[in-house]
PDB file of all heavy atoms in Angstrom:
ATOM      1  N   THR A   5     -81.264  88.817 -25.230  1.00  0.00           N
ATOM      2  CA  THR A   5     -80.819  90.127 -24.752  1.00  0.00           C
ATOM      3  C   THR A   5     -80.086  90.055 -23.415  1.00  0.00           C
ATOM      4  O   THR A   5     -79.062  90.696 -23.208  1.00  0.00           O
ATOM      5  CB  THR A   5     -82.020  91.088 -24.588  1.00  0.00           C
ATOM      6  OG1 THR A   5     -83.000  90.711 -25.528  1.00  0.00           O
ATOM      7  CG2 THR A   5     -81.610  92.516 -24.796  1.00  0.00           C
ATOM      8  N   ASN A   6     -80.637  89.218 -22.523  1.00  0.00           N
ATOM      9  CA  ASN A   6     -80.018  89.093 -21.204  1.00  0.00           C
ATOM     10  C   ASN A   6     -78.602  88.546 -21.292  1.00  0.00           C
ATOM     11  O   ASN A   6     -77.689  89.034 -20.633  1.00  0.00           O
ATOM     12  CB  ASN A   6     -80.844  88.167 -20.311  1.00  0.00           C
ATOM     13  CG  ASN A   6     -82.008  88.915 -19.682  1.00  0.00           C
ATOM     14  OD1 ASN A   6     -81.993  90.151 -19.654  1.00  0.00           O
ATOM     15  ND2 ASN A   6     -83.004  88.192 -19.218  1.00  0.00           N
ATOM     16  N   GLU A   7     -78.456  87.531 -22.131  1.00  0.00           N
ATOM     17  CA  GLU A   7     -77.131  86.931 -22.289  1.00  0.00           C
ATOM     18  C   GLU A   7     -76.143  87.924 -22.899  1.00  0.00           C
ATOM     19  O   GLU A   7     -74.995  88.014 -22.476  1.00  0.00           O
ATOM     20  CB  GLU A   7     -77.223  85.671 -23.151  1.00  0.00           C
ATOM     21  CG  GLU A   7     -77.696  84.466 -22.345  1.00  0.00           C
ATOM     22  CD  GLU A   7     -78.024  83.279 -23.218  1.00  0.00           C
ATOM     23  OE1 GLU A   7     -78.295  83.494 -24.421  1.00  0.00           O
ATOM     24  OE2 GLU A   7     -77.996  82.157 -22.723  1.00  0.00           O
ATOM     25  N   ALA A   8     -76.624  88.670 -23.879  1.00  0.00           N
ATOM     26  CA  ALA A   8     -75.766  89.662 -24.532  1.00  0.00           C
ATOM     27  C   ALA A   8     -75.325  90.710 -23.517  1.00  0.00           C
ATOM     28  O   ALA A   8     -74.153  91.099 -23.465  1.00  0.00           O
ATOM     29  CB  ALA A   8     -76.514  90.324 -25.687  1.00  0.00           C
ATOM     30  N   PHE A   9     -76.262  91.138 -22.688  1.00  0.00           N
ATOM     31  CA  PHE A   9     -75.976  92.140 -21.663  1.00  0.00           C
ATOM     32  C   PHE A   9     -74.899  91.625 -20.701  1.00  0.00           C
ATOM     33  O   PHE A   9     -73.931  92.327 -20.391  1.00  0.00           O
ATOM     34  CB  PHE A   9     -77.266  92.460 -20.912  1.00  0.00           C
ATOM     35  CG  PHE A   9     -77.073  93.454 -19.815  1.00  0.00           C
ATOM     36  CD1 PHE A   9     -76.869  94.802 -20.099  1.00  0.00           C
ATOM     37  CD2 PHE A   9     -77.079  93.042 -18.481  1.00  0.00           C
ATOM     38  CE1 PHE A   9     -76.667  95.720 -19.086  1.00  0.00           C
ATOM     39  CE2 PHE A   9     -76.882  93.956 -17.474  1.00  0.00           C
ATOM     40  CZ  PHE A   9     -76.670  95.297 -17.777  1.00  0.00           C
ATOM     41  N   LEU A  10     -75.070  90.356 -20.282  1.00  0.00           N
ATOM     42  CA  LEU A  10     -74.130  89.741 -19.358  1.00  0.00           C
ATOM     43  C   LEU A  10     -72.734  89.658 -19.975  1.00  0.00           C
ATOM     44  O   LEU A  10     -71.722  89.956 -19.338  1.00  0.00           O
ATOM     45  CB  LEU A  10     -74.629  88.327 -19.009  1.00  0.00           C
ATOM     46  CG  LEU A  10     -74.218  87.822 -17.630  1.00  0.00           C
ATOM     47  CD1 LEU A  10     -74.891  88.646 -16.554  1.00  0.00           C
ATOM     48  CD2 LEU A  10     -74.620  86.354 -17.484  1.00  0.00           C
ATOM     49  N   LEU A  11     -72.705  89.288 -21.237  1.00  0.00           N
ATOM     50  CA  LEU A  11     -71.443  89.142 -21.960  1.00  0.00           C
ATOM     51  C   LEU A  11     -70.704  90.477 -22.016  1.00  0.00           C
ATOM     52  O   LEU A  11     -69.509  90.575 -21.749  1.00  0.00           O
ATOM     53  CB  LEU A  11     -71.745  88.645 -23.382  1.00  0.00           C
ATOM     54  CG  LEU A  11     -70.569  88.042 -24.119  1.00  0.00           C
ATOM     55  CD1 LEU A  11     -70.179  86.722 -23.466  1.00  0.00           C
ATOM     56  CD2 LEU A  11     -70.926  87.805 -25.585  1.00  0.00           C
ATOM     57  N   ILE A  12     -71.478  91.534 -22.321  1.00  0.00           N
ATOM     58  CA  ILE A  12     -70.881  92.869 -22.413  1.00  0.00           C
ATOM     59  C   ILE A  12     -70.336  93.296 -21.045  1.00  0.00           C
ATOM     60  O   ILE A  12     -69.235  93.821 -20.923  1.00  0.00           O
ATOM     61  CB  ILE A  12     -71.914  93.888 -22.948  1.00  0.00           C
ATOM     62  CG1 ILE A  12     -72.138  93.613 -24.429  1.00  0.00           C
ATOM     63  CG2 ILE A  12     -71.431  95.319 -22.743  1.00  0.00           C
ATOM     64  CD1 ILE A  12     -73.313  94.343 -25.026  1.00  0.00           C
ATOM     65  N   LEU A  13     -71.105  92.980 -19.998  1.00  0.00           N
ATOM     66  CA  LEU A  13     -70.689  93.334 -18.642  1.00  0.00           C
ATOM     67  C   LEU A  13     -69.361  92.653 -18.292  1.00  0.00           C
ATOM     68  O   LEU A  13     -68.431  93.280 -17.779  1.00  0.00           O
ATOM     69  CB  LEU A  13     -71.783  92.888 -17.658  1.00  0.00           C
ATOM     70  CG  LEU A  13     -71.729  93.555 -16.289  1.00  0.00           C
ATOM     71  CD1 LEU A  13     -72.136  95.010 -16.425  1.00  0.00           C
ATOM     72  CD2 LEU A  13     -72.669  92.846 -15.315  1.00  0.00           C
ATOM     73  N   VAL A  14     -69.275  91.372 -18.604  1.00  0.00           N
ATOM     74  CA  VAL A  14     -68.054  90.623 -18.320  1.00  0.00           C
ATOM     75  C   VAL A  14     -66.879  91.211 -19.086  1.00  0.00           C
ATOM     76  O   VAL A  14     -65.787  91.417 -18.546  1.00  0.00           O
ATOM     77  CB  VAL A  14     -68.239  89.120 -18.660  1.00  0.00           C
ATOM     78  CG1 VAL A  14     -66.910  88.394 -18.660  1.00  0.00           C
ATOM     79  CG2 VAL A  14     -69.197  88.477 -17.673  1.00  0.00           C
ATOM     80  N   LEU A  15     -67.121  91.546 -20.356  1.00  0.00           N
ATOM     81  CA  LEU A  15     -66.052  92.138 -21.162  1.00  0.00           C
ATOM     82  C   LEU A  15     -65.585  93.467 -20.580  1.00  0.00           C
ATOM     83  O   LEU A  15     -64.395  93.740 -20.494  1.00  0.00           O
ATOM     84  CB  LEU A  15     -66.537  92.353 -22.605  1.00  0.00           C
ATOM     85  CG  LEU A  15     -66.579  91.083 -23.457  1.00  0.00           C
ATOM     86  CD1 LEU A  15     -67.178  91.380 -24.833  1.00  0.00           C
ATOM     87  CD2 LEU A  15     -65.164  90.514 -23.628  1.00  0.00           C
ATOM     88  N   LEU A  16     -66.558  94.270 -20.138  1.00  0.00           N
ATOM     89  CA  LEU A  16     -66.207  95.569 -19.551  1.00  0.00           C
ATOM     90  C   LEU A  16     -65.381  95.382 -18.286  1.00  0.00           C
ATOM     91  O   LEU A  16     -64.397  96.090 -18.061  1.00  0.00           O
ATOM     92  CB  LEU A  16     -67.470  96.372 -19.227  1.00  0.00           C
ATOM     93  CG  LEU A  16     -68.158  97.018 -20.437  1.00  0.00           C
ATOM     94  CD1 LEU A  16     -69.459  97.697 -20.013  1.00  0.00           C
ATOM     95  CD2 LEU A  16     -67.226  98.032 -21.102  1.00  0.00           C
ATOM     96  N   LEU A  17     -65.776  94.398 -17.457  1.00  0.00           N
ATOM     97  CA  LEU A  17     -65.037  94.142 -16.224  1.00  0.00           C
ATOM     98  C   LEU A  17     -63.607  93.704 -16.536  1.00  0.00           C
ATOM     99  O   LEU A  17     -62.650  94.146 -15.901  1.00  0.00           O
ATOM    100  CB  LEU A  17     -65.738  93.078 -15.381  1.00  0.00           C
ATOM    101  CG  LEU A  17     -66.979  93.567 -14.632  1.00  0.00           C
ATOM    102  CD1 LEU A  17     -67.698  92.410 -13.966  1.00  0.00           C
ATOM    103  CD2 LEU A  17     -66.582  94.611 -13.587  1.00  0.00           C
ATOM    104  N   LEU A  18     -63.477  92.851 -17.544  1.00  0.00           N
ATOM    105  CA  LEU A  18     -62.147  92.397 -17.941  1.00  0.00           C
ATOM    106  C   LEU A  18     -61.298  93.559 -18.421  1.00  0.00           C
ATOM    107  O   LEU A  18     -60.127  93.685 -18.077  1.00  0.00           O
ATOM    108  CB  LEU A  18     -62.247  91.342 -19.050  1.00  0.00           C
ATOM    109  CG  LEU A  18     -62.694  89.954 -18.595  1.00  0.00           C
ATOM    110  CD1 LEU A  18     -62.903  89.038 -19.787  1.00  0.00           C
ATOM    111  CD2 LEU A  18     -61.651  89.350 -17.657  1.00  0.00           C
TER     112      LEU A  18
END
Side-chain angles (χ1 to χ4, degrees):
T5 331
N6 278 342
E7 279 170 338
F9 179 74
L10 209 66
L11 198 69
I12 288 169
L13 199 71
V14 168
L15 283 175
L16 284 176
L17 284 173
L18 285 174

